[in-house]
Amino acid sequence: MKPIVYVDSAATTPLSEFALNRALPFLRDSFGNASSRHSHGVTARQAFEEARATIAETLGALSDEIVFTSGASEANAWILNAIAAPNDAAPPIVVKNVNVVSTAFEHSSVWETLRSLERRGVDVSYLRPNRDGVISAADVAAALRPNTRLVSIMTANNELGTLQPIAEIGRLLRKRGVLFHTDATQAVGHIPLNVDELNVDFLTASAHKFNGPKGFGFLYRRREVELPAFILGGSQERGLRSGTENVFGAVATAAALAENVAALPETTARLCDLENALLCRLREVLSSSDFSVVGESAARLPGFLNFVFNGADGDAITRLLDLRGVCASTGSACSSGDVKPSRTLLATGRSVSEARSSVRVSFGRHNAATDAQTVADALIFAFRKIAAVRK
Ligand code: PMP
């Protein structure tokens, strides 16, 4: 079988061997319930709380500010629903006089939750990014109303990799006394992050984006901020989210995050080299009218590129790439299979046809230096093949 070159790290990453080995004992011999009082339970509890402390430390947070969840979708939905519509069990109860400020290019887990809040009466203001895929702090300030209860803006966009001015926005919101959530799913483990420097009240993350296990994530909640409970029952996670603790998930997540954060300077340099090599090769062969990189001049996650190929369908390109053993994606993985133009690209002011022509390449730490050339050649092949059919 042809070797596969995987450049879809924004969709998911492979589980770290180090993290797996650290966590495997908690699926086997140390299988105790972390809430049990006997020695098996105590062993599990210790590992679980150590994992929480490790995760907190990498973000400059306190241990009791970290709450484990099944991933970022759950954490995002929890915070948005609980803050914008507290004590509001279910529709058709209508929420009155609450405004939430967010953006037009949030991940679907935030976007769809906001749409459902709108159906319940919450007023949501969606800010548009500029052409480079960046939200302006001045736009956030201008959107605030006396009834704005929460601002939710992602740290790094999942289709473009562009970084948002979270620290600057956080500073102004702290002064105005407005709660601030950032969905940092694409950024945690990929760039240095400190919750105090970011001035956020809530931050959400998902383990599988930084070589941890799928189906596990966490939220950071600033100690002084009240967050209503999400799941009632056995009172785990200090009563906020009941359910038997996933010790394997926590231990693997903490190990993967600590490993990634320790290697950040080296990984960042390697990912930037891969990105530059890919762009150099494409520019040697294709002309500037053939493709562009959205947000090329903006601050972006290292090794993360969103191409718009002129007049070529992004889905067709990624299918041709796949035939050559290159795994990339169009738009976000969560919406692939769905042929709608990318909501994110439309939000940056691209046309419908441009928004259908995007290909996301996201390198990861597993990629070899030669992968840049392989990906470039596959992109050139696919683009030319589609251009030839069009003629
Ligand atoms: N937010 C962003 C920005 C994401 O990229 C993703 C995953 N695609 C999520 C949230 C959802 O994360 P999870 O898979 O843990 O539910």
Side-chain angles (χ1 to χ4, degrees), residues 128-152:
R128 279 175 63 133
N130 65 14
R131 239 187 116 69
D132 277 337
V134 181
I135 296 289
S136 112
D139 286 353
V140 176
L144 296 179
R145 313 240 185 96
N147 63 344
T148 302
R149 192 175 280 172
L150 180 70
V151 173
S152 178

Side-chain angles (χ1 to χ4, degrees), residues 12-357:
T12 197
T13 54
L15 181 62
S16 140
E17 212 35 49
F18 168 70
L20 177 65
N21 289 330
R22 272 292 179 88
L24 260 185
F26 297 95
L27 286 183
R28 291 184 171 143
D29 300 338
S30 301
F31 60 84
N33 184 324
S35 296
S36 298
R37 302 263 186 116
H38 50 61
S39 57
H40 246 25
V42 171
T43 307
R45 168 64 57 193
Q46 262 169 4
F48 193 67
E49 293 309 327
E50 270 170 31
R52 195 192 307 277
T54 302
I55 291 168
E57 200 184 313
T58 63
L59 292 167
L62 302 166
S63 279
D64 65 6
E65 294 178 315
I66 302 296
V67 184
F68 292 127
T69 67
S70 70
S73 296
E74 176 190 318
N76 288 339
W78 178 0
I79 292 166
L80 293 168
N81 283 315
I83 300 296
N87 306 322
D88 189 13
I93 299 169
V94 172
V95 185
K96 292 202 182 91
N97 199 26
V98 173
N99 169 259
V100 173
V101 174
S102 188
T103 79
F105 72 165
E106 292 299 309
H107 182 262
S108 51
S109 58
V110 167
W111 174 263
E112 293 297 342
T113 304
L114 292 173
R115 306 297 278 190
S116 89
L117 283 166
E118 281 188 285
R119 289 191 289 274
R120 294 165 67 185
V122 175
D123 169 47
V124 185
S125 319
Y126 298 97
L127 302 175
R128 279 175 63 133
N130 65 14
R131 239 187 116 69
D132 277 337
V134 181
I135 296 289
S136 112
D139 286 353
V140 176
L144 296 179
R145 313 240 185 96
N147 63 344
T148 302
R149 192 175 280 172
L150 180 70
V151 173
S152 178
I153 297 177
M154 65 201 330
T155 309
N157 181 270
N158 51 300
E159 286 184 45
L160 312 175
T162 50
L163 299 175
Q164 308 306 314
I166 299 301
E168 190 186 351
I169 296 169
R171 246 189 326 273
L172 82 89
L173 293 177
R174 188 66 55 87
K175 273 198 211 128
R176 304 277 285 262
V178 177
L179 290 176
F180 187 24
H181 162 239
T182 189
D183 173 1
T185 304
Q186 291 290 339
V188 170
H190 297 276
I191 53 167
L193 289 177
N194 177 292
V195 287
D196 287 332
E197 283 165 20
L198 294 176
N199 296 300
V200 292
D201 299 295
F202 302 106
L203 176 148
T204 41
S206 181
H208 72 99
K209 307 288 186 179
F210 53 79
N211 305 94
K214 292 172 183 53
F216 198 81
F218 59 88
L219 65 81
Y220 155 82
R221 181 227 18 183
R222 197 158 64 82
R223 205 181 230 181
E224 295 77 17
V225 177
E226 201 56 64
L227 178 68
F230 177 45
I231 302 176
L232 305 177
S235 292
Q236 288 89 349
E237 297 299 275
R238 290 180 312 286
L240 290 173
R241 182 187 186 269
S242 292
T244 302
E245 292 89 344
N246 178 350
V247 183
F248 171 87
V251 172
T253 298
L257 184 57
E259 186 186 25
N260 268 20
V261 168
L264 264 186
E266 189 256 335
T267 312
T268 304
R270 275 196 332 106
L271 295 180
C272 290
D273 287 348
L274 281 162
E275 175 183 325
N276 289 335
L278 168 58
L279 282 173
C280 263
R281 176 74 187 143
L282 286 179
R283 290 196 165 122
E284 262 167 33
V285 179
L286 299 179
S287 79
S288 60
S289 60
D290 290 334
F291 76 93
S292 59
V293 176
V294 183
E296 188 172 358
S297 55
R300 274 181 294 113
L301 292 169
F304 198 124
L305 293 163
N306 188 306
F307 296 99
V308 170
F309 283 95
N310 193 4
D313 182 57
D315 200 45
I317 293 182
T318 52
R319 275 188 275 126
L320 286 171
L321 293 182
D322 197 23
L323 290 177
R324 290 179 68 116
V326 172
C327 299
S329 70
T330 90
S332 69
C334 312
S335 60
S336 51
D338 164 351
V339 283
K340 280 200 271 196
S342 153
R343 171 169 53 78
T344 293
L345 283 189
L346 292 177
T348 67
R350 265 48 179 206
S351 66
V352 169
S353 108
E354 286 171 317
R356 284 189 199 279
S357 307

Side-chain angles (χ1 to χ4, degrees), residues 360-384:
R360 178 183 73 182
V361 171
S362 46
F363 290 104
R365 67 170 207 221
H366 61 276
N367 285 117
T370 50
D371 289 351
Q373 178 83 27
T374 310
V375 175
D377 290 346
L379 280 169
I380 293 162
F381 163 82
F383 176 70
R384 287 190 164 159

